[in-house]
């Protein structure tokens, strides 16, 4: 199996102002040498990307929270293309977050188009998927995420990150059990094998949904969990740095 560098991503959602970009330098200071062992990514709102990229420098990365499904310049008022995001310093872009799927009616087909547009622009898409509480209660969690994976992820493209974010675990205080996360991540790895063949081991699978400094260590220890997508706890440097430092790869690098 290929070694995968863990990725710990902060999704600021529609929070923050330019002044909050100071959090980026504050995280860098707090994590010190740990940034050598894990990849740390900030996804602030799009207007702040260029300034965030400067603050992030070479040791941290910056990404966007969404992009247009259309790769070429086009008459699309209000849309932002992946190429524009890359021009502002983004290296990653989140696509298919459940808030976009539910609040903006985005289908897996559209999510896949966005992922392809991101890849065409040289960005790495972070494709989000996850079941609702009702789907889990009905015993359909595995089937739902396998279907979302097949429909949302461009095949044969190792330049890809997948994030498992159970809808019911986002923004609250409930997380799945270790066994539940392990089961889904194992299923996603198997699904990636079918979609990507030999490239499957290069794809990182993140867990997202109420990750915090208290539960991060336990989550990072689960097989096939290659990092986290963090919402609320990424907004404060102290909290986000504590999550990063909970990763064993961060500990190994001397902190
Ligand atoms: P949360 O959000 O960490 O605040 O639950 C995670 C996400 O939506 O990516």
């Amino acid at each position: 199996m290929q070694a995968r560098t863990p990725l710990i991503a902060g999704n600021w959602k529609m929070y923050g102002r330019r002044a909050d970009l100071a959090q980026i330098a504050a995280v860098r200071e707090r994590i010190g040498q740990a940034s050598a062992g894990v990849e740390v990514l900030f996804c602030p709102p799009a207007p702040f990307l260029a300034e965030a990229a400067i603050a992030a420098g070479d040791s941290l990365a910056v990404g966007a929270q969404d992009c247009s499904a259309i790769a070429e310049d086009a008459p699309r008022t209000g849309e932002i293309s992946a190429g524009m995001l890359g021009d502002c310093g983004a290296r990653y872009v989140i696509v298919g977050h459940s808030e976009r799927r539910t609040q903006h009616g985005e289908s897996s087909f559209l999510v896949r188009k966005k992922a392809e547009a991101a890849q065409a622009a040289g960005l790495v898409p972070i494709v989000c998927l996850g079941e609702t509480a009702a789907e889990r209660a009905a015993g359909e969690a595995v089937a739902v995420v396998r279907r979302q994976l097949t429909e949302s992820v461009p095949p044969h493209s190792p330049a890809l990150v997948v994030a498992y974010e159970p809808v019911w675990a986002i923004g609250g205080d409930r997380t799945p059990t270790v066994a539940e996360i392990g089961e889904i991540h194992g299923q996603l790895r198997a699904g990636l094998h079918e979609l990507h063949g030999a490239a499957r081991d290069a794809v990182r699978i993140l867990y997202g949904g109420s990750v915090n400094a208290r539960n991060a260590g336990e989550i990072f220890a689960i097989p096939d969990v290659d990092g986290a997508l963090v919402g609320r706890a990424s907004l404060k440097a102290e909290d986000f740095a504590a999550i990063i430092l909970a990763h064993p790869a961060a500990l190994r690098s001397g902190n």
Side-chain angles (χ1 to χ4, degrees):
M1 195 208 279
Q2 267 172 274
R4 294 179 293 272
T5 304
L7 175 64
I8 302 179
N11 172 14
W12 285 13
K13 308 191 180 185
M14 200 171 75
Y15 292 102
R17 293 292 185 270
R18 286 174 65 205
D20 295 301
L21 297 174
Q23 300 291 323
I24 297 175
V27 167
R28 194 195 358 256
E29 238 166 72
R30 282 176 179 271
I31 65 175
Q33 295 303 310
S35 58
V38 295
E39 199 175 347
V40 176
L41 172 66
F42 291 87
C43 299
F48 310 142
L49 272 177
E51 208 170 325
I54 293 166
D58 291 337
S59 59
L60 308 173
V62 159
Q65 299 174 14
D66 185 34
C67 69
S68 174
I70 296 166
E72 311 80 40
D73 291 3
R76 291 289 185 281
T77 303
E79 286 277 278
I80 304 175
S81 73
M84 293 168 185
L85 298 170
D87 205 18
C88 290
R91 291 180 11 215
Y92 292 85
V93 56
I94 298 168
V95 293
H97 189 282
S98 73
E99 286 154 14
R100 298 225 44 102
R101 288 180 187 260
T102 57
Q103 297 162 5
H104 300 264
E106 294 195 0
S107 64
S108 289
F109 175 76
L110 182 71
V111 172
R112 177 168 162 170
K113 288 271 164 233
K114 290 185 172 196
E116 286 168 350
Q119 289 174 333
L123 303 191
V124 178
I126 301 175
V127 181
C128 300
L129 34 82
E131 82 285 358
T132 63
E135 288 163 342
R136 177 159 286 277
E140 293 166 0
V142 168
V144 167
V145 296
R146 288 286 296 243
R147 189 176 66 239
Q148 287 179 338
L149 183 78
T150 307
E151 293 175 353
S152 314
V153 165
H156 305 296
S157 52
L160 174 80
V161 174
V162 173
Y164 169 52
E165 296 209 311
V167 178
W168 52 273
I170 294 173
D173 52 13
R174 287 165 64 214
T175 52
T177 64
V178 164
E180 286 168 341
I181 296 174
E183 181 190 24
I184 298 287
H185 280 239
Q187 289 286 339
L188 290 172
R189 183 70 62 201
L192 284 167
H193 186 40
E194 288 150 29
L195 284 169
H196 293 288
R200 69 172 183 161
D201 289 333
V203 176
R204 288 173 290 185
I205 307 175
L206 313 184
Y207 170 77
S210 297
V211 176
N212 57 45
R214 290 179 304 285
N215 62 23
E218 189 179 43
I219 291 169
F220 291 147
I222 302 170
D224 277 313
V225 171
D226 302 309
L229 182 54
V230 184
R232 283 155 298 162
S234 71
L235 293 166
K236 263 184 61 196
E238 187 184 346
D239 298 342
F240 194 41
I243 290 170
I244 296 162
L245 292 171
H247 199 287
L251 298 176
R252 276 201 299 276
S253 54
N255 277 266

